[in-house]
Amino acid sequence: MTTERRPPPPDRAARVRTGRLRAGRRRTGPVRTTRFPPRPASMRGRSAAAAALAMALVLAVGGGWLYALLRANLLDNTTSRTEVAARKVAAQADTGALPDVLPSPADGVDLVLVLDGAGRVVATSLRTADPLAAELRDLRPPSDQDSADRVISGSPAVAAGGSRADVVVVRATPPGGGQVRYVYAVTVLSDVDDATHAIGVALLASAPPLIALAAAIAWAVTGLALRPVTAIRTELAAVSESELDRRVPDPAGGDEIALMARTVNATLDRLEQAVTRQRQFVADASHELRNPIAAVRSRLEVALAAEARSGAGSGAGAEDPASLEHPVRAALRDTERLQRIAADLLLLARLDAHAPRAAEPVDLALLAAEEAAGRPGRGGARLIVAAAEPVPVRGDPVQLERLLTNLVDNALRYAASEVRVVARFQGGPVPRAVLEVVDDGPGIPEADRSQVFERFARLDAARDRETGGTGLGLAIARGIARAHGGDLTVRSREDGRPGARFVAVLPVPDRS
């Protein structure tokens, strides 16, 4: 003996989870949630965003490298010019012929200053050089070199206004072991700063257009690449139960999109074959036909047994018509129901196969009047027709009559007092013909309104009643409506009273 452990009911499990949450959540107050920026939904958007991000990274890395390289090159050139100017003066100092006032240097160098070993001014290209000498006397070349350079920032004595300056010092050694002199050449880096500033501004100004251009190119290129995918998606969305023969376009080539299109077409081929085989064999018929056939067999066997007993009792084998009448009539009713089911299944098979149908003018108002005239009152629900004008459509008269008959039969089965059939036009950009069948029965719950159109579907115990339908009437009615380019739906009554309202909407012929 095994004991089955069942899970707790949903309400108890919910209470347990809620209790755990409440036990673990002690603090009260507003809960802060972190919101991340949404990602682009489409592939084109993601590609454009990726291209923009890649361009931004390239510009950031490449622009920074270019900025640093150009600045280093400009500073190196400036230092070279400054050192050349210092060495020219150092060559004069080596010979000893050095005037007190030096001429202004060339090649953009701003000034030249010569100091002795004690830091006193020997010669200069400035009128007042004492502040500059006090600022530069501690800058000397290393012992193993004869020159050195340094960039000084924020020194008003070196650069006017506190800007940056490039200073190069050259050791001048006169022949004969005289006193060592130091030649200082100074170049203010305003031109270098202006050039590098212009380069930085140009890089920053060109970044947004380049990023936008990269995103636009990625958007356009991705759109061109995905155009076959859009065509495939559009055609695939149009494939339905009534158009299984449609195939997606096959782009030329052997890329991934072409392979996907061929795979989709192969899948559609298999799907069409499977649906065709399914339509050839109606699986539901085996269940629905089994009960009538079994009932016919059992009742016929009862009739034969009764006949045998009657013949044995009389001794002459004479039949008693009264004893055979009831079972034979019951068998006849079951046989007729079996024939109706077979006819309904055959009609459904033809609708599924989209067999050619007639296309003749049919007046829905006249069709409703004929339906009401062919159903004399028998003490049940009344059948009322409301049609203010003719409502012509084009279609198969037999099938449209079957549609209305099935709807009326269903409504009379559940109506309390009356069934109303309304034929009218529906205005709008595309005019439609509307055929409504309204009853005052219990109605159909909204959750079950799509189920009533399924084959062999019933929402009550009608399957076990002699007066119950076959369960195919509404499925056939919707199939006929869709075969004629329309549809059939079930809604609530417009006046709010209990009951069901079946609405068939059909296209109308061009009356121009």
Side-chain angles (χ1 to χ4, degrees):
M1 179 177 180
T2 59
T3 302
E4 181 181 0
R5 299 183 61 184
R6 298 183 179 180
D11 54 347
R12 180 183 176 187
R15 289 197 301 270
V16 172
R17 289 194 299 269
T18 305
R20 291 178 180 176
L21 289 175
R22 291 177 177 174
R25 188 180 299 168
R26 296 297 183 185
R27 295 184 300 173
T28 60
V31 179
R32 296 181 179 180
T33 58
T34 303
R35 295 184 178 180
F36 297 95
R39 296 189 304 169
S42 64
M43 185 176 294
R44 296 181 70 181
R46 291 195 294 268
S47 299
L53 180 60
M55 179 59 71
L57 292 177
V58 169
L59 290 177
V61 176
W65 174 80
L66 179 62
Y67 180 86
L69 180 64
L70 290 177
R71 183 173 184 82
N73 189 17
L74 291 175
L75 186 60
D76 185 63
N77 292 336
T78 302
T79 302
S80 299
R81 294 197 310 269
T82 307
E83 185 176 357
V84 169
R87 289 191 180 277
K88 286 182 180 180
V89 176
Q92 297 178 6
D94 289 343
T95 61
L98 192 65
D100 295 338
V101 178
L102 298 174
S104 298
D107 297 332
V109 180
D110 292 287
L111 59 95
V112 178
L113 176 66
V114 181
L115 302 179
D116 58 11
R120 294 185 295 270
V121 178
V122 177
T124 180
S125 61
L126 295 176
R127 293 181 180 180
T128 303
D130 293 337
L132 180 62
E135 188 76 25
L136 298 179
R137 63 168 54 102
D138 294 333
L139 177 61
R140 302 292 174 86
S143 59
D144 56 344
Q145 298 180 6
D146 65 342
S147 66
D149 63 271
R150 181 182 300 175
V151 176
I152 299 177
S153 300
S155 176
V158 176
S163 59
R164 299 172 345 109
D166 186 17
V167 180
V168 175
V169 57
V170 176
R171 181 186 295 113
T173 305
Q179 185 181 7
V180 178
R181 297 176 180 178
Y182 298 95
V183 180
Y184 298 86
V186 180
T187 301
V188 179
L189 296 178
S190 59
D191 294 339
V192 175
D193 292 338
D194 292 342
T196 53
H197 178 73
I199 293 173
V201 171
L203 290 175
L204 292 177
S206 62
L210 291 176
I211 293 174
L213 179 62
I217 293 176
W219 178 274
V221 172
T222 307
L224 292 176
L226 294 179
R227 184 175 296 175
V229 177
T230 303
I232 292 172
R233 179 182 58 82
T234 303
E235 190 67 23
L236 191 60
V239 176
S240 61
E241 182 183 359
S242 60
E243 296 183 358
L244 286 175
D245 57 338
R246 302 188 66 158
R247 296 295 180 268
V248 301
D250 187 358
D255 56 1
E256 291 81 359
I257 297 179
L259 294 177
M260 182 188 69
R262 295 174 190 137
T263 303
V264 170
N265 284 334
T267 303
L268 290 176
D269 289 337
R270 295 192 298 269
L271 179 61
E272 184 181 11
Q273 294 174 4
V275 172
T276 301
R277 288 193 300 266
Q278 183 182 11
R279 286 172 178 171
Q280 293 175 355
F281 176 78
V282 183
D284 297 339
S286 60
H287 173 73
E288 286 295 321
L289 295 178
R290 186 183 300 118
N291 293 335
I293 292 175
V296 169
R297 179 177 177 180
S298 62
R299 285 169 178 170
L300 290 178
E301 288 176 352
V302 169
L304 291 177
E307 181 183 2
R309 288 195 301 269
S310 176
S314 62
E319 296 183 356
D320 185 1
S323 62
L324 296 178
E325 181 177 2
H326 179 72
V328 171
R329 288 187 180 275
L332 181 59
R333 287 195 300 268
D334 289 334
T335 304
E336 291 174 351
R337 182 167 179 266
L338 183 61
Q339 288 178 335
R340 291 196 302 269
I341 293 176
D344 290 346
L345 290 175
L346 180 59
L347 179 56
L348 279 174
R350 289 177 178 176
L351 292 175
D352 290 340
H354 308 289
R357 56 178 176 81
E360 303 176 6
V362 179
D363 185 0
L364 295 182
L366 180 59
L367 195 67
E370 292 176 350
E371 180 69 23
R375 293 176 181 267
R378 298 178 180 176
R382 295 183 304 161
L383 183 59
I384 303 174
V385 176
E389 59 179 336
V391 184
V393 296
R394 290 190 63 86
D396 190 336
V398 177
Q399 291 188 4
L400 292 177
E401 181 181 0
R402 180 63 182 276
L403 183 151
L404 180 58
T405 301
N406 288 1
L407 293 180
V408 172
D409 286 342
N410 180 78
L412 289 174
R413 187 175 298 117
Y414 299 102
S417 60
E418 69 175 21
V419 173
R420 182 178 296 271
V421 180
V422 181
R424 59 181 176 85
F425 281 109
Q426 176 180 315
V430 180
R432 296 281 182 173
V434 179
L435 184 64
E436 295 185 4
V437 178
V438 186
D439 63 67
D440 57 353
I444 301 175
E446 187 174 356
D448 298 330
R449 290 178 182 175
S450 60
Q451 183 182 352
V452 297
F453 295 106
E454 296 180 2
R455 301 175 184 183
F456 301 111
R458 295 187 185 87
L459 304 181
D460 57 5
R463 185 180 300 275
D464 297 330
R465 301 200 312 262
E466 293 294 335
T467 58
T470 63
L472 297 174
L474 295 180
I476 292 175
R478 171 173 275 191
I480 293 174
R482 291 182 174 178
H484 285 74
D487 201 359
L488 174 64
T489 57
V490 58
R491 308 172 188 174
S492 302
R493 292 182 54 139
E494 294 181 337
D495 55 6
R497 296 170 54 191
R501 181 167 64 102
F502 287 86
V503 181
V505 181
L506 301 173
V508 297
D510 188 7
R511 296 182 290 179
S512 59

PDB file of all heavy atoms in Angstrom, residues 421-450:
ATOM      1  N   VAL A 421     -34.402  37.034 -35.567  1.00  0.00           N
ATOM      2  CA  VAL A 421     -33.438  37.016 -36.668  1.00  0.00           C
ATOM      3  C   VAL A 421     -33.458  38.390 -37.311  1.00  0.00           C
ATOM      4  O   VAL A 421     -34.516  38.879 -37.742  1.00  0.00           O
ATOM      5  CB  VAL A 421     -33.784  35.929 -37.703  1.00  0.00           C
ATOM      6  CG1 VAL A 421     -32.769  35.943 -38.829  1.00  0.00           C
ATOM      7  CG2 VAL A 421     -33.840  34.566 -37.042  1.00  0.00           C
ATOM      8  N   VAL A 422     -32.273  39.040 -37.369  1.00  0.00           N
ATOM      9  CA  VAL A 422     -32.142  40.394 -37.899  1.00  0.00           C
ATOM     10  C   VAL A 422     -31.189  40.355 -39.076  1.00  0.00           C
ATOM     11  O   VAL A 422     -30.078  39.814 -38.967  1.00  0.00           O
ATOM     12  CB  VAL A 422     -31.625  41.374 -36.824  1.00  0.00           C
ATOM     13  CG1 VAL A 422     -31.516  42.792 -37.389  1.00  0.00           C
ATOM     14  CG2 VAL A 422     -32.520  41.352 -35.599  1.00  0.00           C
ATOM     15  N   ALA A 423     -31.615  40.924 -40.199  1.00  0.00           N
ATOM     16  CA  ALA A 423     -30.768  41.080 -41.383  1.00  0.00           C
ATOM     17  C   ALA A 423     -30.656  42.570 -41.670  1.00  0.00           C
ATOM     18  O   ALA A 423     -31.658  43.264 -41.813  1.00  0.00           O
ATOM     19  CB  ALA A 423     -31.364  40.339 -42.572  1.00  0.00           C
ATOM     20  N   ARG A 424     -29.425  43.075 -41.762  1.00  0.00           N
ATOM     21  CA  ARG A 424     -29.224  44.509 -41.954  1.00  0.00           C
ATOM     22  C   ARG A 424     -27.863  44.745 -42.579  1.00  0.00           C
ATOM     23  O   ARG A 424     -27.045  43.823 -42.714  1.00  0.00           O
ATOM     24  CB  ARG A 424     -29.305  45.243 -40.620  1.00  0.00           C
ATOM     25  CG  ARG A 424     -28.286  44.782 -39.593  1.00  0.00           C
ATOM     26  CD  ARG A 424     -28.423  45.525 -38.287  1.00  0.00           C
ATOM     27  NE  ARG A 424     -27.508  45.013 -37.260  1.00  0.00           N
ATOM     28  CZ  ARG A 424     -26.240  45.396 -37.119  1.00  0.00           C
ATOM     29  NH1 ARG A 424     -25.726  46.295 -37.957  1.00  0.00           N
ATOM     30  NH2 ARG A 424     -25.478  44.896 -36.151  1.00  0.00           N
ATOM     31  N   PHE A 425     -27.651  46.012 -42.966  1.00  0.00           N
ATOM     32  CA  PHE A 425     -26.355  46.456 -43.457  1.00  0.00           C
ATOM     33  C   PHE A 425     -25.584  47.113 -42.318  1.00  0.00           C
ATOM     34  O   PHE A 425     -26.159  47.753 -41.436  1.00  0.00           O
ATOM     35  CB  PHE A 425     -26.509  47.457 -44.610  1.00  0.00           C
ATOM     36  CG  PHE A 425     -26.812  46.812 -45.933  1.00  0.00           C
ATOM     37  CD1 PHE A 425     -28.061  46.943 -46.503  1.00  0.00           C
ATOM     38  CD2 PHE A 425     -25.850  46.085 -46.604  1.00  0.00           C
ATOM     39  CE1 PHE A 425     -28.350  46.357 -47.714  1.00  0.00           C
ATOM     40  CE2 PHE A 425     -26.132  45.498 -47.822  1.00  0.00           C
ATOM     41  CZ  PHE A 425     -27.396  45.627 -48.390  1.00  0.00           C
ATOM     42  N   GLN A 426     -24.275  46.985 -42.380  1.00  0.00           N
ATOM     43  CA  GLN A 426     -23.391  47.641 -41.411  1.00  0.00           C
ATOM     44  C   GLN A 426     -22.545  48.648 -42.168  1.00  0.00           C
ATOM     45  O   GLN A 426     -21.764  48.288 -43.049  1.00  0.00           O
ATOM     46  CB  GLN A 426     -22.496  46.626 -40.704  1.00  0.00           C
ATOM     47  CG  GLN A 426     -21.478  47.249 -39.750  1.00  0.00           C
ATOM     48  CD  GLN A 426     -20.626  46.184 -39.071  1.00  0.00           C
ATOM     49  OE1 GLN A 426     -21.128  45.182 -38.602  1.00  0.00           O
ATOM     50  NE2 GLN A 426     -19.332  46.408 -39.032  1.00  0.00           N
ATOM     51  N   GLY A 427     -22.709  49.940 -41.831  1.00  0.00           N
ATOM     52  CA  GLY A 427     -21.970  50.979 -42.525  1.00  0.00           C
ATOM     53  C   GLY A 427     -20.509  51.014 -42.120  1.00  0.00           C
ATOM     54  O   GLY A 427     -20.041  50.251 -41.278  1.00  0.00           O
ATOM     55  N   GLY A 428     -19.784  51.948 -42.728  1.00  0.00           N
ATOM     56  CA  GLY A 428     -18.362  52.079 -42.451  1.00  0.00           C
ATOM     57  C   GLY A 428     -17.574  52.182 -43.736  1.00  0.00           C
ATOM     58  O   GLY A 428     -18.133  52.206 -44.849  1.00  0.00           O
ATOM     59  N   PRO A 429     -16.253  52.254 -43.631  1.00  0.00           N
ATOM     60  CA  PRO A 429     -15.433  52.319 -44.845  1.00  0.00           C
ATOM     61  C   PRO A 429     -15.647  51.116 -45.758  1.00  0.00           C
ATOM     62  O   PRO A 429     -15.600  51.249 -46.973  1.00  0.00           O
ATOM     63  CB  PRO A 429     -13.996  52.362 -44.292  1.00  0.00           C
ATOM     64  CG  PRO A 429     -14.134  52.851 -42.897  1.00  0.00           C
ATOM     65  CD  PRO A 429     -15.445  52.356 -42.406  1.00  0.00           C
ATOM     66  N   VAL A 430     -15.873  49.944 -45.163  1.00  0.00           N
ATOM     67  CA  VAL A 430     -16.147  48.730 -45.930  1.00  0.00           C
ATOM     68  C   VAL A 430     -17.527  48.224 -45.494  1.00  0.00           C
ATOM     69  O   VAL A 430     -17.660  47.634 -44.418  1.00  0.00           O
ATOM     70  CB  VAL A 430     -15.068  47.651 -45.686  1.00  0.00           C
ATOM     71  CG1 VAL A 430     -15.383  46.409 -46.508  1.00  0.00           C
ATOM     72  CG2 VAL A 430     -13.683  48.195 -46.020  1.00  0.00           C
ATOM     73  N   PRO A 431     -18.566  48.445 -46.292  1.00  0.00           N
ATOM     74  CA  PRO A 431     -19.909  47.986 -45.897  1.00  0.00           C
ATOM     75  C   PRO A 431     -19.946  46.471 -45.764  1.00  0.00           C
ATOM     76  O   PRO A 431     -19.289  45.734 -46.508  1.00  0.00           O
ATOM     77  CB  PRO A 431     -20.803  48.490 -47.040  1.00  0.00           C
ATOM     78  CG  PRO A 431     -20.013  49.567 -47.709  1.00  0.00           C
ATOM     79  CD  PRO A 431     -18.576  49.185 -47.565  1.00  0.00           C
ATOM     80  N   ARG A 432     -20.741  46.015 -44.818  1.00  0.00           N
ATOM     81  CA  ARG A 432     -20.888  44.586 -44.553  1.00  0.00           C
ATOM     82  C   ARG A 432     -22.364  44.251 -44.377  1.00  0.00           C
ATOM     83  O   ARG A 432     -23.169  45.098 -43.970  1.00  0.00           O
ATOM     84  CB  ARG A 432     -20.129  44.193 -43.282  1.00  0.00           C
ATOM     85  CG  ARG A 432     -18.625  44.382 -43.385  1.00  0.00           C
ATOM     86  CD  ARG A 432     -17.980  43.271 -44.148  1.00  0.00           C
ATOM     87  NE  ARG A 432     -16.527  43.406 -44.221  1.00  0.00           N
ATOM     88  CZ  ARG A 432     -15.711  42.484 -44.721  1.00  0.00           C
ATOM     89  NH1 ARG A 432     -16.226  41.370 -45.199  1.00  0.00           N
ATOM     90  NH2 ARG A 432     -14.423  42.671 -44.757  1.00  0.00           N
ATOM     91  N   ALA A 433     -22.685  43.012 -44.703  1.00  0.00           N
ATOM     92  CA  ALA A 433     -24.018  42.485 -44.427  1.00  0.00           C
ATOM     93  C   ALA A 433     -23.965  41.723 -43.109  1.00  0.00           C
ATOM     94  O   ALA A 433     -23.048  40.926 -42.872  1.00  0.00           O
ATOM     95  CB  ALA A 433     -24.474  41.568 -45.555  1.00  0.00           C
ATOM     96  N   VAL A 434     -24.939  41.967 -42.247  1.00  0.00           N
ATOM     97  CA  VAL A 434     -24.957  41.386 -40.905  1.00  0.00           C
ATOM     98  C   VAL A 434     -26.222  40.551 -40.763  1.00  0.00           C
ATOM     99  O   VAL A 434     -27.323  41.008 -41.099  1.00  0.00           O
ATOM    100  CB  VAL A 434     -24.907  42.478 -39.817  1.00  0.00           C
ATOM    101  CG1 VAL A 434     -24.956  41.855 -38.436  1.00  0.00           C
ATOM    102  CG2 VAL A 434     -23.650  43.322 -39.976  1.00  0.00           C
ATOM    103  N   LEU A 435     -26.028  39.344 -40.253  1.00  0.00           N
ATOM    104  CA  LEU A 435     -27.144  38.441 -39.958  1.00  0.00           C
ATOM    105  C   LEU A 435     -27.030  38.064 -38.491  1.00  0.00           C
ATOM    106  O   LEU A 435     -26.059  37.408 -38.081  1.00  0.00           O
ATOM    107  CB  LEU A 435     -27.090  37.195 -40.854  1.00  0.00           C
ATOM    108  CG  LEU A 435     -28.250  36.206 -40.711  1.00  0.00           C
ATOM    109  CD1 LEU A 435     -29.557  36.848 -41.148  1.00  0.00           C
ATOM    110  CD2 LEU A 435     -27.981  34.944 -41.533  1.00  0.00           C
ATOM    111  N   GLU A 436     -28.010  38.496 -37.688  1.00  0.00           N
ATOM    112  CA  GLU A 436     -27.983  38.248 -36.256  1.00  0.00           C
ATOM    113  C   GLU A 436     -29.103  37.294 -35.873  1.00  0.00           C
ATOM    114  O   GLU A 436     -30.220  37.399 -36.382  1.00  0.00           O
ATOM    115  CB  GLU A 436     -28.161  39.553 -35.469  1.00  0.00           C
ATOM    116  CG  GLU A 436     -27.042  40.545 -35.638  1.00  0.00           C
ATOM    117  CD  GLU A 436     -27.232  41.753 -34.749  1.00  0.00           C
ATOM    118  OE1 GLU A 436     -28.197  41.753 -33.964  1.00  0.00           O
ATOM    119  OE2 GLU A 436     -26.422  42.699 -34.822  1.00  0.00           O
ATOM    120  N   VAL A 437     -28.783  36.373 -34.963  1.00  0.00           N
ATOM    121  CA  VAL A 437     -29.771  35.465 -34.378  1.00  0.00           C
ATOM    122  C   VAL A 437     -29.660  35.631 -32.868  1.00  0.00           C
ATOM    123  O   VAL A 437     -28.635  35.288 -32.269  1.00  0.00           O
ATOM    124  CB  VAL A 437     -29.532  34.006 -34.812  1.00  0.00           C
ATOM    125  CG1 VAL A 437     -30.544  33.096 -34.139  1.00  0.00           C
ATOM    126  CG2 VAL A 437     -29.606  33.872 -36.326  1.00  0.00           C
ATOM    127  N   VAL A 438     -30.728  36.175 -32.258  1.00  0.00           N
ATOM    128  CA  VAL A 438     -30.710  36.532 -30.843  1.00  0.00           C
ATOM    129  C   VAL A 438     -31.776  35.701 -30.126  1.00  0.00           C
ATOM    130  O   VAL A 438     -32.912  35.592 -30.605  1.00  0.00           O
ATOM    131  CB  VAL A 438     -30.989  38.040 -30.655  1.00  0.00           C
ATOM    132  CG1 VAL A 438     -30.829  38.440 -29.190  1.00  0.00           C
ATOM    133  CG2 VAL A 438     -30.073  38.874 -31.543  1.00  0.00           C
ATOM    134  N   ASP A 439     -31.390  35.108 -28.987  1.00  0.00           N
ATOM    135  CA  ASP A 439     -32.349  34.361 -28.177  1.00  0.00           C
ATOM    136  C   ASP A 439     -32.384  34.940 -26.772  1.00  0.00           C
ATOM    137  O   ASP A 439     -31.522  35.739 -26.396  1.00  0.00           O
ATOM    138  CB  ASP A 439     -31.987  32.866 -28.148  1.00  0.00           C
ATOM    139  CG  ASP A 439     -30.642  32.601 -27.493  1.00  0.00           C
ATOM    140  OD1 ASP A 439     -30.523  32.821 -26.274  1.00  0.00           O
ATOM    141  OD2 ASP A 439     -29.696  32.180 -28.198  1.00  0.00           O
ATOM    142  N   ASP A 440     -33.383  34.537 -26.012  1.00  0.00           N
ATOM    143  CA  ASP A 440     -33.530  34.994 -24.629  1.00  0.00           C
ATOM    144  C   ASP A 440     -33.290  33.853 -23.652  1.00  0.00           C
ATOM    145  O   ASP A 440     -33.929  33.763 -22.611  1.00  0.00           O
ATOM    146  CB  ASP A 440     -34.909  35.610 -24.405  1.00  0.00           C
ATOM    147  CG  ASP A 440     -36.037  34.633 -24.743  1.00  0.00           C
ATOM    148  OD1 ASP A 440     -35.740  33.537 -25.274  1.00  0.00           O
ATOM    149  OD2 ASP A 440     -37.203  34.964 -24.481  1.00  0.00           O
ATOM    150  N   GLY A 441     -32.355  32.988 -24.000  1.00  0.00           N
ATOM    151  CA  GLY A 441     -32.014  31.868 -23.129  1.00  0.00           C
ATOM    152  C   GLY A 441     -31.034  32.268 -22.042  1.00  0.00           C
ATOM    153  O   GLY A 441     -30.858  33.457 -21.729  1.00  0.00           O
ATOM    154  N   PRO A 442     -30.360  31.299 -21.460  1.00  0.00           N
ATOM    155  CA  PRO A 442     -29.430  31.609 -20.361  1.00  0.00           C
ATOM    156  C   PRO A 442     -28.173  32.333 -20.818  1.00  0.00           C
ATOM    157  O   PRO A 442     -27.442  32.870 -19.984  1.00  0.00           O
ATOM    158  CB  PRO A 442     -29.102  30.223 -19.783  1.00  0.00           C
ATOM    159  CG  PRO A 442     -29.330  29.283 -20.923  1.00  0.00           C
ATOM    160  CD  PRO A 442     -30.483  29.843 -21.701  1.00  0.00           C
ATOM    161  N   GLY A 443     -27.882  32.339 -22.115  1.00  0.00           N
ATOM    162  CA  GLY A 443     -26.675  32.994 -22.587  1.00  0.00           C
ATOM    163  C   GLY A 443     -25.450  32.101 -22.497  1.00  0.00           C
ATOM    164  O   GLY A 443     -25.508  30.965 -22.008  1.00  0.00           O
ATOM    165  N   ILE A 444     -24.331  32.626 -22.955  1.00  0.00           N
ATOM    166  CA  ILE A 444     -23.063  31.885 -22.971  1.00  0.00           C
ATOM    167  C   ILE A 444     -22.037  32.700 -22.197  1.00  0.00           C
ATOM    168  O   ILE A 444     -21.833  33.874 -22.497  1.00  0.00           O
ATOM    169  CB  ILE A 444     -22.579  31.642 -24.409  1.00  0.00           C
ATOM    170  CG1 ILE A 444     -23.628  30.849 -25.193  1.00  0.00           C
ATOM    171  CG2 ILE A 444     -21.251  30.907 -24.426  1.00  0.00           C
ATOM    172  CD1 ILE A 444     -23.286  30.670 -26.649  1.00  0.00           C
ATOM    173  N   PRO A 445     -21.398  32.123 -21.190  1.00  0.00           N
ATOM    174  CA  PRO A 445     -20.354  32.867 -20.464  1.00  0.00           C
ATOM    175  C   PRO A 445     -19.247  33.319 -21.413  1.00  0.00           C
ATOM    176  O   PRO A 445     -18.938  32.656 -22.407  1.00  0.00           O
ATOM    177  CB  PRO A 445     -19.840  31.853 -19.434  1.00  0.00           C
ATOM    178  CG  PRO A 445     -20.943  30.853 -19.299  1.00  0.00           C
ATOM    179  CD  PRO A 445     -21.620  30.785 -20.628  1.00  0.00           C
ATOM    180  N   GLU A 446     -18.680  34.453 -21.095  1.00  0.00           N
ATOM    181  CA  GLU A 446     -17.654  35.013 -21.983  1.00  0.00           C
ATOM    182  C   GLU A 446     -16.451  34.092 -22.110  1.00  0.00           C
ATOM    183  O   GLU A 446     -15.826  34.022 -23.169  1.00  0.00           O
ATOM    184  CB  GLU A 446     -17.221  36.383 -21.445  1.00  0.00           C
ATOM    185  CG  GLU A 446     -16.286  37.139 -22.365  1.00  0.00           C
ATOM    186  CD  GLU A 446     -15.998  38.537 -21.875  1.00  0.00           C
ATOM    187  OE1 GLU A 446     -16.591  38.927 -20.846  1.00  0.00           O
ATOM    188  OE2 GLU A 446     -15.199  39.237 -22.519  1.00  0.00           O
ATOM    189  N   ALA A 447     -16.127  33.363 -21.058  1.00  0.00           N
ATOM    190  CA  ALA A 447     -14.971  32.466 -21.123  1.00  0.00           C
ATOM    191  C   ALA A 447     -15.212  31.276 -22.044  1.00  0.00           C
ATOM    192  O   ALA A 447     -14.255  30.633 -22.488  1.00  0.00           O
ATOM    193  CB  ALA A 447     -14.610  31.970 -19.724  1.00  0.00           C
ATOM    194  N   ASP A 448     -16.484  30.952 -22.330  1.00  0.00           N
ATOM    195  CA  ASP A 448     -16.797  29.781 -23.149  1.00  0.00           C
ATOM    196  C   ASP A 448     -17.210  30.149 -24.571  1.00  0.00           C
ATOM    197  O   ASP A 448     -17.601  29.268 -25.336  1.00  0.00           O
ATOM    198  CB  ASP A 448     -17.943  28.982 -22.499  1.00  0.00           C
ATOM    199  CG  ASP A 448     -17.557  28.455 -21.129  1.00  0.00           C
ATOM    200  OD1 ASP A 448     -16.356  28.197 -20.931  1.00  0.00           O
ATOM    201  OD2 ASP A 448     -18.439  28.315 -20.270  1.00  0.00           O
ATOM    202  N   ARG A 449     -17.112  31.419 -24.945  1.00  0.00           N
ATOM    203  CA  ARG A 449     -17.626  31.830 -26.252  1.00  0.00           C
ATOM    204  C   ARG A 449     -16.775  31.340 -27.412  1.00  0.00           C
ATOM    205  O   ARG A 449     -17.281  31.180 -28.510  1.00  0.00           O
ATOM    206  CB  ARG A 449     -17.755  33.356 -26.290  1.00  0.00           C
ATOM    207  CG  ARG A 449     -18.881  33.857 -25.394  1.00  0.00           C
ATOM    208  CD  ARG A 449     -18.997  35.363 -25.389  1.00  0.00           C
ATOM    209  NE  ARG A 449     -20.063  35.787 -24.477  1.00  0.00           N
ATOM    210  CZ  ARG A 449     -20.344  37.044 -24.195  1.00  0.00           C
ATOM    211  NH1 ARG A 449     -19.640  38.027 -24.765  1.00  0.00           N
ATOM    212  NH2 ARG A 449     -21.323  37.347 -23.354  1.00  0.00           N
ATOM    213  N   SER A 450     -15.513  31.146 -27.187  1.00  0.00           N
ATOM    214  CA  SER A 450     -14.695  30.579 -28.265  1.00  0.00           C
ATOM    215  C   SER A 450     -14.825  29.064 -28.339  1.00  0.00           C
ATOM    216  O   SER A 450     -14.602  28.463 -29.391  1.00  0.00           O
ATOM    217  CB  SER A 450     -13.222  30.964 -28.049  1.00  0.00           C
ATOM    218  OG  SER A 450     -12.756  30.459 -26.805  1.00  0.00           O
TER     219      SER A 450
END
